Amino acid sequence: MNIVTEIKSQYARVLQHSDWLQFKNVAEYYLETAARLKKKDIKSQSNKLLLRNSQKRLFIGIGSELLLKAFYLKNGYCINKLNSSFSGKKLPVHKLSTLKKKDINKNNTFTLDPLVNHLKTISTLKSHKEIRHGFQIAMTFRNKEGHVTFPSHSFDIQNYRDIEKAIMLFYQEGFGEQLSYKISMQPHEKSRFAK
């Protein structure tokens, strides 16, 4: 067994409907931390702003993915990838109740991109366009911050406002909850994560 397979086996599990709340709770930790993180929280003596912003973007992406997975699970959909032997579409559009255990890959889950792209297939969210847009920004932030680093980053505050809007709409339409969410990015900007 190679090391990748060995480590994946430590996490191997077919995720069930009952796991949705755990996913949501951990997503909320990341989303709230991203909103509130300050330069003073960064232990490095140099590049504090760069590292704070990078960590915020990573946490926004991780939190968004876990929140989306919570929604899929809450609604009974399989977020594990499907084995090559499965004859149907290998996309996150199948109810757990319609799949056989042998068809589900316990070692891998769908990534954020297919979950975002197939959300409309499994749900009739009124604000789908805005939700999708915000999750796509969060996904791109996470992917870029996880793979590259630069001495500076071109900053567009509207990206964060779009993410906030998407997450608040998703809470309202997907979970029936009101969330007030504000990611503090600019000087003296107050953060918010309140249900």
Side-chain angles (χ1 to χ4, degrees):
M1 179 183 296
N2 69 39
I3 192 64
V4 173
T5 305
E6 181 182 327
I7 300 301
K8 279 187 176 187
S9 72
Q10 294 173 14
Y11 292 87
R13 185 160 167 226
V14 174
L15 294 152
Q16 301 294 324
H17 166 78
S18 58
D19 294 310
W20 79 269
L21 196 53
Q22 170 71 17
F23 272 73
K24 185 171 177 280
N25 288 338
V26 175
E28 289 175 348
Y29 167 81
Y30 282 112
L31 293 170
E32 183 173 4
T33 301
R36 300 190 190 286
L37 191 67
K38 297 178 185 268
K39 286 191 301 186
K40 70 179 183 180
D41 300 321
I42 303 301
K43 303 296 183 222
S44 175
Q45 295 305 309
S46 61
N47 298 317
K48 282 185 175 285
L49 181 61
L50 176 74
L51 293 170
R52 180 207 73 160
N53 292 349
S54 178
Q55 192 167 346
K56 279 181 177 274
R57 289 186 285 269
L58 280 167
F59 280 11
I60 289 166
I62 294 166
S64 295
E65 180 169 342
L66 294 174
L67 188 64
L68 198 51
K69 286 178 174 178
F71 177 77
Y72 271 77
L73 289 170
K74 180 177 185 281
N75 288 285
Y77 285 91
C78 181
I79 64 167
N80 286 82
K81 287 187 176 181
L82 300 161
N83 288 319
S84 58
S85 59
F86 179 67
S87 61
K89 293 180 182 178
K90 293 175 183 64
L91 301 169
V93 296
H94 302 282
K95 290 270 193 176
L96 283 159
S97 60
T98 66
L99 296 169
K100 295 179 179 141
K101 194 169 183 175
K102 68 178 180 71
D103 293 328
I104 302 172
N105 183 336
K106 66 181 181 178
N107 291 314
N108 290 302
T109 60
F110 287 104
T111 57
L112 190 49
D113 188 51
L115 294 169
V116 169
N117 289 328
H118 291 92
L119 184 58
K120 193 170 188 175
T121 306
I122 68 147
S123 178
T124 56
L125 299 170
K126 287 183 255 173
S127 305
H128 175 76
K129 185 177 177 182
E130 293 92 342
I131 292 168
R132 183 174 191 260
H133 179 73
F135 279 142
Q136 286 177 321
I137 296 168
M139 174 183 67
T140 306
F141 277 170
R142 196 248 352 245
N143 290 347
K144 293 316 263 178
E145 292 295 342
H147 292 94
V148 296
T149 185
F150 300 107
S152 66
H153 172 79
S154 182
F155 183 89
D156 182 353
I157 194 61
Q158 189 58 47
N159 295 154
Y160 301 90
R161 303 296 88 99
D162 291 346
I163 291 168
E164 293 160 356
K165 181 179 180 182
I167 289 172
M168 288 187 289
L169 287 168
F170 194 60
Y171 263 80
Q172 183 178 358
E173 295 179 31
F175 296 99
E177 297 179 30
Q178 296 298 314
L179 174 72
S180 181
Y181 189 53
K182 178 81 167 207
I183 303 163
S184 171
M185 292 301 293
Q186 299 183 103
H188 311 294
E189 193 171 38
K190 298 284 185 198
S191 64
R192 238 179 1 264
F193 187 95
K195 294 195 287 183

